[in-house]
Amino acid sequence: MFHRCCYDDTNVPSVRCRAGGGRLRVVRVVRLLTPGDIREIAGRLGVRPSKRLGQNFVIEQGTVRRIAALAAPGPGDVVLEVGPGLGSLTLALLEAGAGRVVAVEIDPVLAGELPRILAERAPALADRATVVHADALRIGEHDLPAAPSMLVANLPYNVAVPVVLHLLAAVPALARGLVMVQAEVADRMCAAPGSRVYGAPSVKLAWYAAVRPAGTVPRSVFWPVPNVDSRLVAFTRHDPPATAASRQEVFAVIDAAFRQRRKTLRAALAGWAGTPVEAERLLRAAGIDPGARGEALSVAEFARLAAARTITSS
């Protein structure tokens, strides 16, 4: 017979139950995966982390608990996890109190095995998790069983920024997130105007959300051990800048400005505007120095520039 949820001396959610003789004992609700568990399951499935899919499995329990604690999902949250693999972070999110977890996995073998792992290692909470076999770059809100309120994921390094941008556009309910990405990608995601690593990803993310660094992750917690460092990036959605231009129009001028980032905006935007002279006219109409470079502009300034062209064309 199970009784109320409590915490044992390791601060892990558990339930009290009575054994046959009536003695009270504590049973953990979630058993996180150990490095040995992960290698054993992968070996049984014939799975090796795929470089093509950007797979690096997190094998250290303290790391997934730390990520889950930083994300702080509540009972009212629907957490979207991309690339759950064998479920290390999924289990930690359930343990941390997520109301629901929707795990999107592109690998058919892993997508098929994950429900069994969750049922075995978190039997009291496994019904809170749904595994969706899909490509995160192609899904929309209608493809998910519930509208996610937050994204928490160890993202594949090769598609991290495209995945975040796609999900922010395709899933309007996504209000906040915490993602683990390659260190240099994290730098670009969080960069401010004027930074040498500020670029199109930085500006596009700023359109959707406030982005900030949230910590570092050592290489040693992954299998296989990657050749790069990792960092955590947190974001909170906000309203985009007020502009007469559409998001597509703003993103078009952002892409044009950074396609030739060493050039002045007058030269870099000549193709976008039609001629260098027209690019200069639009820049001046938006209150922007034609001699500046794209890396100097904020997302609000790009929005003003796109609007200047929209108004001229109408």
Side-chain angles (χ1 to χ4, degrees), residues 34-302:
T34 67
D37 292 332
I38 291 169
R39 290 189 172 91
E40 185 277 324
I41 296 170
R44 172 167 53 80
L45 296 174
V47 168
R48 289 285 300 174
S50 167
K51 186 174 182 180
R52 179 180 64 84
L53 296 177
Q55 291 173 333
N56 292 91
F57 297 150
V58 182
I59 60 173
E60 204 269 321
Q61 294 180 347
T63 298
V64 292
R65 280 202 174 113
R66 175 186 165 215
I67 294 171
L70 285 170
D77 280 313
V78 176
V79 181
L80 176 61
E81 183 188 2
V82 173
L86 294 172
S88 294
L89 180 56
T90 319
L91 288 164
L93 290 167
L94 292 172
E95 180 186 84
R100 189 165 184 183
V101 177
V102 177
V104 176
E105 175 57 60
I106 193 172
D107 187 310
V109 175
L110 298 178
E113 181 65 17
L114 183 53
R116 289 188 283 272
I117 294 172
L118 299 178
E120 177 186 338
R121 306 190 76 89
L125 300 176
D127 62 349
R128 296 186 186 179
T130 304
V131 180
V132 177
H133 175 216
D135 182 350
L137 283 170
R138 297 180 182 275
I139 60 169
E141 202 165 75
H142 61 281
D143 299 310
L144 303 173
S149 57
M150 63 191 306
L151 171 68
V152 184
N154 169 27
L155 290 176
Y157 285 166
N158 53 351
V159 292
V161 171
V163 164
V164 174
L165 288 173
H166 169 72
L167 292 174
L168 284 167
V171 185
L174 204 58
R176 66 192 194 281
L178 180 70
V179 295
M180 181 158 53
V181 297
Q182 187 176 336
E184 63 181 44
V185 173
D187 290 343
R188 291 199 294 271
M189 291 173 74
C190 299
S195 165
R196 65 181 182 81
V197 294
Y198 182 71
S202 322
V203 192
K204 291 178 180 180
L205 282 168
W207 170 269
Y208 295 107
V211 185
R212 62 177 178 82
T216 59
V217 180
R219 304 180 188 191
S220 59
V221 307
F222 295 97
W223 174 61
V225 177
N227 296 322
V228 295
D229 294 319
S230 299
R231 289 188 187 147
L232 297 170
V233 174
F235 67 83
T236 304
R237 189 189 285 269
H238 58 205
D239 291 334
T243 177
S246 68
R247 173 176 59 84
Q248 291 81 3
E249 289 168 333
V250 176
F251 281 17
V253 70
I254 292 169
D255 287 335
F258 286 102
R259 197 170 290 126
Q260 303 177 77
R261 64 179 298 147
R262 291 180 178 273
K263 292 187 176 182
T264 65
L265 287 169
R266 183 184 190 277
L269 297 179
W272 168 80
T275 66
V277 172
E278 179 62 5
E280 179 170 347
R281 187 189 72 77
L282 291 172
L283 285 159
R284 293 194 184 281
I288 298 168
D289 178 5
R293 291 177 169 80
E295 64 200 42
L297 269 59
S298 68
V299 66
E301 289 171 310
F302 277 111

